[in-house]
Amino acid sequence: MTRSDWSDWLPRAVEAADPETVAIWYLGCNGFVLKGSAGTTVFIDPYVGIGSPPRTVRMIPIPFDPEDVTEADAVLATHEHTDHVHGPSQAPILENTGATFVAPDDSLSVAYDDEAWFDDYDLSEDQFEEVSEGDTIEIGEFTVHVEPAHDPDATHPVSYVFEHESGTFFHGGDTKPAAEFTDIGERYDIDLGVLAFGTVGNIADKQTGEPVRTKWYNDENQIIEAASDLDLDRLLPSHWDMWKGMTSDPKVLHHHAKSFAAPRSLELVEIGDRVDL
């Protein structure tokens, strides 16, 4: 069982919220909660693990215990990495709420095979929905479009576009700039978009334990390139806070974005913060 550093105030804050549009909470790493004006609640890539020290070391608080989540309609995963698909972080939400786990095939394989969620949690097969690029699904008041993503470290990453009567939200997972982003930017009017941001660090190799120069997320130029191609109104950088040796300062992005038409503004948040569409 996960022990939250913040007790249960964050799940209670989400449940108590009555947004006029869509409220969005940042969970740290690349996790988010969306709650619409009609109450639909969606988690994206929630992760409350500590990593695998000393290779990956969590640098931020654990903001909630999944056992404390009592309201959720769906949990979405962007790709199969452990900080995006993680049984102890996500399966209790599904078990407690009856929410649907929505993910591409390789992410579902982690739940079915690698971590065997059905052995440890009371879940049913109809709580799992496979999606792929080009799919559109309805989750309560949200229309969710599954779009391509470019993450060379993942085997099948996707991005998600959430359409709501009050605006449009994009979550790119750990994507780098992608050839498809210009087309996505033309097809959707994206009010707020999330892109992963970080620095280059020396991370211990899984086999040898020796430090290896590692770049998992967008640098300053890549994240602005992707945001520009997507024609984002507001860019929210994520993931920069998570891993020791990979953290960065999103304030530097003001300098990189200033000569581009998009993103038109930066939405800089810390773990636990709420923004609204």
Side-chain angles (χ1 to χ4, degrees):
M1 181 174 178
T2 300
R3 177 170 294 180
S4 169
D5 295 314
W6 290 350
S7 188
D8 67 346
W9 76 262
L10 187 54
R12 300 293 83 80
V14 174
E15 292 170 11
D18 186 19
E20 293 184 2
T21 56
V22 177
I24 301 163
W25 289 264
Y26 180 42
L27 305 177
C29 196
N30 219 345
F32 290 82
V33 186
L34 277 61
K35 186 174 185 180
S37 53
T40 302
T41 303
V42 178
F43 286 74
I44 310 168
D45 286 352
Y47 176 71
V48 295
I50 63 168
S52 182
R55 181 172 185 267
T56 50
V57 180
R58 187 183 184 104
M59 297 294 289
I60 50 176
I62 294 174
F64 71 98
D65 182 339
E67 296 282 356
D68 290 331
V69 176
T70 59
E71 295 181 5
D73 294 281
V75 177
L76 276 64
T78 58
H79 62 287
E80 75 284 351
H81 290 165
T82 191
D83 53 341
H84 299 261
V85 180
H86 184 242
S89 298
Q90 298 163 359
I93 299 175
L94 307 181
E95 186 177 59
N96 293 345
T97 66
T100 302
F101 186 70
V102 178
D105 50 3
D106 290 353
S107 297
L108 291 178
S109 292
V110 173
Y112 292 153
D113 304 321
D114 299 351
E115 295 187 351
W117 292 7
F118 288 95
D119 292 346
D120 298 320
Y121 303 95
D122 184 14
L123 304 172
S124 61
E125 291 187 6
D126 60 7
Q127 286 181 265
F128 291 78
E129 181 171 356
E130 181 180 331
V131 293
S132 189
E133 297 88 337
D135 290 347
T136 296
I137 61 173
E138 302 292 332
I139 304 175
E141 63 204 273
F142 295 105
T143 298
V144 183
H145 305 278
V146 186
E147 296 290 349
H150 174 60
D151 180 0
D153 297 314
T155 57
H156 188 184
V158 299
S159 60
Y160 295 108
V161 177
F162 290 77
E163 289 189 308
H164 186 269
E165 63 181 11
S166 59
T168 302
F169 173 76
F170 172 87
H171 192 300
D174 289 354
T175 189
K176 305 287 199 310
E180 297 88 352
F181 281 178
T182 299
D183 175 62
I184 293 173
E186 291 174 351
R187 287 188 288 115
Y188 304 104
D189 181 10
I190 303 173
D191 296 285
L192 178 64
V194 166
L195 292 167
F197 173 53
T199 191
V200 176
N202 290 310
I203 303 298
D205 180 80
K206 282 185 177 180
Q207 279 72 43
T208 68
E210 294 298 316
V212 176
R213 186 174 173 84
T214 302
K215 181 182 178 184
W216 284 330
Y217 314 116
N218 292 295
D219 64 20
E220 295 91 338
N221 295 308
Q222 287 176 311
I223 192 172
I224 298 302
E225 177 187 349
S228 178
D229 289 345
L230 289 163
D231 197 26
L232 302 182
D233 285 338
R234 299 151 66 194
L235 166 63
L236 195 161
S238 62
H239 232 321
W240 56 269
D241 53 2
M242 185 62 179
W243 301 124
K244 183 175 178 62
M246 307 295 286
T247 59
S248 192
D249 183 354
K251 294 192 295 297
V252 303
L253 297 178
H254 287 289
H255 301 289
H256 292 266
K258 65 193 301 184
S259 64
F260 291 82
R264 282 164 274 284
S265 66
L266 295 176
E267 195 77 54
L268 304 185
V269 299
E270 295 179 318
I271 183 171
D273 286 349
R274 168 182 164 174
V275 299
D276 288 70
L277 281 184

